[in-house]
Amino acid sequence: MDVDIVCVGFGPATAGFLATLSQNLVKPDGTPAVESAVMPGMPPQVVCYERADDIGFGVSGVVTRARGIRATFPHINPKYIPMATPVAEEKVLYLLDPVGASRRPAVMRGTDALIRAMKWALPFEHDALDLPWTPEFLHKKNGVVLSVGQFMQWVGTQVQSTGVVQIWPGTPVSQALIDDKQVVGVRLLDQGVDKQGQPGEGFTPGMDIRAALTVVGDGPVGPIGQQLDAHFGVPDGHHTRDWAVGMKFVVDLPPDTPLLAGTVLHTLGYPEPEIFGFLYVHPERVASLGIFVPSWFDSPMRTAYRYLQHWMLHPYLWRYLNGGKLRSWGAKTLGESGRRGEPQLVGDGYARIGEGSGSTNVLTGSGVDEAWATGTQLAESVLELLKANQPFTKQNLEATYIKRRRASWVEQEAAVAEKARDGFQKGFVRGLMGMALAGLTHGRLALGSDPVQPWKRIPSLEEYYRSRIAAGDLAKLREECRARGTSVHGALMDKVGWPAIPFDGRLLVSHQDALLLGGKVQAPPGYADHVIFLYPQLCEKCGTKLCIEVCSGQAITPGDNGVPAFDREKCVHCGACYWNCAQPVPDNPERTNIAFRAGTGGLHSAEN
């Protein structure tokens, strides 16, 4: 099938692109503002393919300044968007350790003791310090609290109501069509195959969609972005080595909650120093809350789910959450290399936008609005080229899209943030100092060094627990868990002093129950597995099996001969396994032994 423009992935960046483009393809009298090359007399034919079964599934709650979004929709009113509300109050909280199990460096232990000794003179309550001063760059003044899922559905309605854009959910793209050095479209995923991709009954090969321009907005683990990086390379000095898993709940707060809509809480310091948290209050006593577990958390047991529960049970937060109820649950990989992770943004026939294009601001912790803005910048550039009847060559896209992006606030703020998190390579305290230094000097000064590949940071279980668990006890725990076919992180966290979770069946539930209660996980039949262990022999020798411990959906479990088993019926497509693998492939140290390919299904949770 021939179209004018094909888009891969319907995230905030593509939403910004399509919203801007669709507003300008037709004149007020209904005639085309510019004409299609494949359907003369009609507006350009624009099609977007989204992997998830509906638009807005499996994303996240967010607080954003919404500068880019408001530029597209100047008269936007949050009250007309489900779960949206203006920011009313914002706090940054330093959480002390109430249970004594957190691995805190000496500087933090001393700071905690000093805070407790002087709590009478500080804004301190329930083992938390309300930071009396927070750098301006961390705040989201005049911002909006959103459910990105609900917002994306609202945007999708606006876009499709114009009649000039088609969005096809449940339609994953398997690869870009590359003719020498030019991208000429995409190929959809084969259907009617077994889990290994072999044709079966009802086999239908993926359709080729040929287009003058392919817009790639498929996120940090998107297969098309990976393919383009492999084919065209990345700019010198650029890499994607900073990552995080974001895991979150959407909850009904208790009826007597004092938290007002628009309340925003950011936390640091607990359950481990490296883990940051958030709580955003939507209208009608609904809240999005969760944690970020980063690649520079040097633990072979960086499971997010149990840490999320310990975070919720912190006295400061639990007084607001006790009596609440789980509505939905989700997880997502966050590419946090920022500007340093920028790929080749354009080439003949293609352009990259959004998180996979390196737009996330790692200093302000902001990504949705930046991604949106890159989409609008590309749309403005496409309209300029269409009206001038100019082709989508690398040269023309550089003169329009790249020029706009480099001159924008997205680029200026990304330059300030580029090295802001390098300090975390040398520890949590140094990381905080580095962020403050970069923010206060507008990026002129920073601490730390260039990030290393995540797999290089992962210690063995023996190294990590050397001072807390005897080698014999650790070996015994591993063997017991292996015999039961379970991951080992729960047993190890118990052993080092983390208290058991007091399950209440409403909000504090097991990981498996969260999968059942907090969303619908589904993988339609007829598609190949999208998580692949490339070299089984590397899995056999792996000592950490971090892919099992970190899996958000418990889709990766112990398997035969040391090679993990994958069950796509549980996979939520968070992508955590992709970058948490401890085994690099022999020919590319920037990539690990897990391939994350095109696939359908995943988490169905429009509130997240």
Side-chain angles (χ1 to χ4, degrees), residues 345-360:
L345 289 176
V346 298
D348 290 338
Y350 80 89
R352 306 277 296 271
I353 57 176
E355 188 178 3
S357 76
S359 63
T360 301

Side-chain angles (χ1 to χ4, degrees), residues 24-88:
N24 294 277
L25 291 182
V26 177
K27 297 177 182 178
D29 63 3
T31 59
V34 288
E35 193 168 305
S36 167
V38 300
M39 194 174 291
M42 299 292 289
Q45 302 301 291
V46 183
V47 181
C48 175
Y49 294 104
E50 163 58 34
R51 170 199 60 77
D53 286 1
D54 201 351
I55 57 177
F57 276 175
V59 279
S60 181
V62 69
V63 59
T64 174
R65 293 179 183 173
R67 289 172 288 177
I69 294 169
R70 285 187 172 117
T72 306
F73 298 112
H75 306 297
I76 191 171
N77 188 333
K79 73 179 183 179
Y80 296 122
I81 303 172
M83 296 179 66
T85 189
V87 172

Side-chain angles (χ1 to χ4, degrees), residues 209-420:
I209 312 297
R210 302 184 72 84
L213 177 65
T214 299
V215 178
V216 181
D218 61 351
V221 296
I224 308 308
Q226 293 179 50
Q227 178 192 358
L228 296 181
D229 288 346
H231 188 88
F232 295 109
V234 297
D236 291 341
H238 287 211
H239 52 71
T240 52
R241 297 177 183 173
D242 275 341
W243 298 85
V245 175
M247 185 170 284
K248 68 272 185 180
F249 278 4
V250 178
V251 305
D252 284 321
L253 295 171
D256 59 349
T257 181
L259 296 178
L260 301 177
T263 299
V264 174
L265 304 179
H266 309 281
T267 75
L268 69 155
Y270 183 83
E272 300 286 8
E274 297 88 350
I275 295 176
F276 294 82
F278 65 90
L279 190 154
Y280 311 141
V281 183
H282 304 282
E284 300 181 7
R285 293 190 296 104
V286 176
S288 293
L289 52 96
I291 60 172
F292 302 106
V293 181
S295 54
W296 32 267
F297 176 29
D298 292 334
S299 166
M301 293 290 103
R302 55 176 79 144
T303 171
Y305 189 78
R306 183 162 174 180
Y307 276 127
L308 172 58
Q309 292 179 309
H310 286 297
W311 176 82
M312 291 192 301
L313 283 166
H314 189 280
Y316 188 95
L317 300 168
W318 189 242
R319 60 180 174 149
Y320 297 128
L321 299 176
N322 189 11
K325 184 179 180 181
L326 174 66
R327 289 170 64 106
S328 59
W329 164 89
K332 180 187 181 297
T333 280
L334 303 166
E336 298 206 324
S337 290
R339 188 169 180 256
R340 197 150 34 190
E342 183 182 287
Q344 303 288 353
L345 289 176
V346 298
D348 290 338
Y350 80 89
R352 306 277 296 271
I353 57 176
E355 188 178 3
S357 76
S359 63
T360 301
N361 189 303
V362 297
L363 179 63
T364 63
S366 179
V368 168
D369 202 35
E370 285 78 0
W372 181 282
T374 65
T376 63
Q377 291 158 11
L378 177 61
E380 291 166 355
S381 304
V382 166
L383 289 164
E384 179 182 337
L385 293 174
L386 286 172
K387 291 174 181 177
N389 199 27
Q390 294 295 309
F392 297 116
T393 62
K394 180 177 181 180
Q395 181 178 3
N396 287 342
L397 290 167
E398 285 177 341
T400 54
Y401 171 47
I402 301 299
K403 182 179 179 180
R404 280 180 169 84
R405 183 157 168 167
R406 297 293 183 241
S408 71
W409 61 268
V410 174
E411 176 76 11
Q412 294 162 9
E413 294 179 9
V416 172
E418 183 170 355
K419 298 182 179 181

Side-chain angles (χ1 to χ4, degrees), residues 180-226:
D180 191 19
K181 295 182 179 181
Q182 181 178 2
V183 174
V184 295
V186 298
R187 176 169 296 161
L188 305 183
L189 194 61
D190 291 345
Q191 300 179 46
V193 299
D194 62 19
K195 291 184 177 181
Q196 289 71 46
Q198 297 302 311
E201 185 177 351
F203 171 68
T204 304
M207 181 187 291
D208 284 356
I209 312 297
R210 302 184 72 84
L213 177 65
T214 299
V215 178
V216 181
D218 61 351
V221 296
I224 308 308
Q226 293 179 50

